[in-house]
Amino acid sequence: MTILALGLNHNSAPVSVRERLVFSGERVGDALRALIEIPEVSEAAILSTCNRTEIYCGAEISSYDPLIDWLAEEQHLRQTDLRPYLYAHSDRASIRHMFRVACGLDSMILGEPQILGQMKTAYQHATEAGTLGTVLGKLFQHTFSAAKKVRTDTAIGSSAVSVAFAAVRLARRIFENLGEQTAILIGAGETIELTARHLHEHGIGEIIVANRTYERAHTLAAQFEGFAISLHELPEHLAKADIIVTSTASQLPILGKGSVESAIKIRKHKPIFMVDLAVPRDIEPEVAQLQDVYLYTVDDLRETIEENLRSRQEAAKQAEEIIDTEVEHFLAWIRAQSVTSTLKDLRNHAGQIREQALEAALRTLKNGRPPEDALQFLAHALTNKLTHLPCIQIKQAGVDERHELISAARELFQLKDSTEET
């Protein structure tokens, strides 16, 4: 069986193509069951995120064409619109690709941790759909183990490399317990959504999302158990904020020195941590002059991010070495599976010989022979029966001058040369 990986990602395809290939969670189960209806495919899983869609298969197949045909039909696309953006891997390359994806080495943000959770979701969907077999199931488990080893043994995920993550990391340094803090997030774009996700994951006490369009603010806030306000309501809530992160497309500042100064007085000079991720800036620079305000801009975070990215790149080199080792371990497991049936047959054969010899030995006891005689008979019968066929085959190998078989027998049974002096 061949292990195959077929897909596209943020490097190979624009978002206009990627979004047409996304499998929603509700569709994955049916898609998987349809996928293994392809005669050559025996095992399958689908990983689908905003940045990648990939199919993993165990198949008896020499071409990717059946998978591409299926994918195009399933997603209602013409193959000519799909093929230029696809990449494909088989066996060793597929295994290595899955390991790299799970470790975040193939992600838009190097080392990002979310992809491992998405890989686990893909595994869960395939398990529930009944489309995982022995090989692909074992490969997923080994993938998770490799990712854990990379996270444990390298610094791949220890440094912030996005402005949102860097902002939250800085907030965690300033506040001992985020669970006691309230955050106001101004805007509803990707950066604010990512900030909300990081804050939520680190147990922020409360999230308030402010946006010019209330509906967008409400949609975002609902994802993280927060609540929404419109921008004109912001002055009424500003004093509640321990943390303010803003990222809008406004051409004029949204927060001025006067409104922040009023909030500080209401808070009785309890500090506010503010991060302005917008360009042009959402917060007037003069706000930084206020006591009890800690204001950072995107430029303040950029140097930290670049330094951390260099650190991740160094860690990525170590991660690649770990992955190479783990790929070899999994390939060794696959090679071991090829002799499983032979080992089983050998054990069954030996078991039959044992039962026959034991039955004959028990008969000698029933006939009144001493136990010592029965044990001697058992040992003699087992030795003769277990060595009979190998001896015949080795003799024939000598006649046929099959010296490699004789050498293999000596290695297999760990035989010492009887002609050597002891």
Side-chain angles (χ1 to χ4, degrees):
M1 184 174 71
T2 302
I3 300 173
L4 302 174
L6 175 74
L8 50 73
N9 64 13
H10 58 280
N11 289 319
S12 71
V15 67
S16 59
V17 175
R18 298 201 307 271
E19 64 188 5
R20 297 174 68 187
L21 252 72
V22 170
F23 288 87
S24 64
E26 298 77 19
R27 287 186 57 215
V28 171
D30 289 338
L32 284 169
R33 285 183 283 270
L35 182 53
I36 60 169
E37 300 251 332
I38 298 174
E40 299 91 344
V41 176
S42 56
E43 305 181 35
I46 295 173
L47 171 66
S48 189
T49 75
C50 59
N51 282 328
R52 73 177 64 242
T53 293
E54 295 182 343
I55 298 170
Y56 309 126
C57 289
E60 298 292 345
I61 200 169
S62 57
S63 167
Y64 296 96
D65 287 344
L67 297 180
I68 297 173
D69 292 344
W70 176 85
L71 186 58
E73 183 178 351
E74 185 73 18
Q75 300 294 61
H76 308 292
L77 292 169
R78 293 181 302 178
Q79 288 199 27
T80 53
D81 294 337
L82 182 60
R83 281 182 178 270
Y85 305 103
L86 293 173
Y87 47 78
H89 306 289
S90 65
D91 291 331
R92 178 191 292 270
S94 294
I95 296 164
R96 193 170 193 279
H97 177 74
M98 284 184 65
F99 288 0
R100 295 187 79 254
V101 169
C103 294
L105 296 180
D106 195 53
S107 295
M108 185 178 293
I109 298 175
L110 180 65
E112 60 93 3
Q114 286 82 12
I115 187 63
L116 179 57
Q118 292 162 337
M119 286 282 279
K120 290 181 177 179
T121 299
Y123 171 76
Q124 182 180 353
H125 283 316
T127 300
E128 292 171 353
T131 60
L132 286 183
T134 302
V135 175
L136 208 54
K138 180 70 173 180
L139 177 54
F140 266 101
Q141 293 299 327
H142 205 120
T143 298
F144 302 149
S145 176
K148 181 178 179 181
K149 186 171 181 60
V150 166
R151 293 276 164 189
T152 301
D153 294 356
T154 76
I156 191 70
S158 62
S159 307
V161 291
S162 71
V163 289
F165 192 15
V168 174
R169 178 67 63 86
L170 192 54
R172 291 178 63 202
R173 291 179 184 173
I174 292 173
F175 298 103
E176 185 175 341
N177 181 8
L178 289 185
E180 298 175 356
Q181 314 305 319
T182 294
I184 292 182
L185 308 181
I186 305 173
E190 183 178 340
T191 299
I192 290 297
E193 181 178 354
L194 191 55
T195 303
R197 179 171 288 109
H198 289 317
L199 285 169
H200 185 68
E201 289 173 353
H202 287 97
I204 188 70
E206 185 176 25
I207 290 178
I208 301 171
V209 180
N211 192 53
R212 198 175 306 279
T213 306
Y214 175 81
E215 289 74 16
R216 289 190 65 186
H218 176 73
T219 300
L220 178 57
Q223 296 180 49
F224 306 105
E225 302 172 5
F227 71 91
I229 59 174
S230 60
L231 281 185
H232 74 265
E233 296 178 277
L234 189 56
E236 304 169 26
H237 296 270
L238 208 55
K240 300 176 184 176
D242 303 293
I243 299 167
I244 296 174
V245 181
T246 179
S247 178
T248 76
S250 175
Q251 296 302 303
L252 296 172
I254 291 172
L255 290 179
K257 182 179 179 182
S259 60
V260 177
E261 191 170 22
S262 298
I264 285 290
K265 289 179 180 178
I266 295 172
R267 289 170 59 83
K268 297 180 179 178
H269 297 277
K270 185 180 177 183
I272 301 178
F273 169 64
M274 306 179 76
V275 183
D276 187 350
L277 301 179
V279 179
R281 285 182 279 189
D282 284 333
I283 302 174
E284 286 183 350
E286 291 77 12
V287 170
Q289 300 170 5
L290 297 173
Q291 290 187 348
D292 306 310
V293 171
Y294 300 90
L295 174 61
Y296 294 82
T297 68
V298 68
D299 286 344
D300 295 325
L301 300 179
R302 185 168 289 132
E303 185 176 344
T304 298
I305 291 168
E306 289 175 354
E307 181 182 342
N308 290 344
L309 183 56
R310 288 192 292 271
S311 173
R312 283 202 180 191
Q313 288 167 341
E314 287 299 315
K317 295 177 184 177
Q318 301 171 24
E320 297 283 7
E321 294 174 1
I322 293 172
I323 286 172
D324 287 341
T325 301
E326 294 301 317
V327 168
E328 293 304 321
H329 288 171
F330 188 76
L331 288 171
W333 177 84
I334 288 180
R335 290 192 292 269
Q337 303 315 296
S338 65
V339 299
T340 298
S341 61
T342 300
L343 292 173
K344 183 179 179 181
D345 292 342
L346 178 61
R347 289 183 179 276
N348 288 340
H349 176 67
Q352 291 173 1
I353 292 174
R354 180 198 63 217
E355 293 302 318
Q356 293 169 2
L358 182 59
E359 185 177 343
L362 288 174
R363 281 200 302 269
T364 65
L365 284 174
K366 290 180 180 178
N367 291 335
R369 301 285 296 276
E372 292 82 0
D373 289 354
L375 287 173
Q376 286 289 345
F377 176 84
L378 178 61
H380 183 73
L382 278 174
T383 301
N384 282 345
K385 287 181 178 291
L386 287 172
T387 60
H388 178 65
L389 284 177
C391 286
I392 290 176
Q393 295 295 326
I394 292 171
K395 284 181 180 179
Q396 189 60 46
V399 172
D400 298 337
E401 295 187 345
R402 296 181 61 190
H403 302 296
E404 77 285 353
L405 184 57
I406 296 171
S407 296
R410 299 197 70 88
E411 182 178 350
L412 184 63
F413 294 110
Q414 294 289 291
L415 301 178
K416 294 181 180 179
D417 191 340
S418 60
T419 62
E420 292 181 358
E421 293 183 2
T422 58

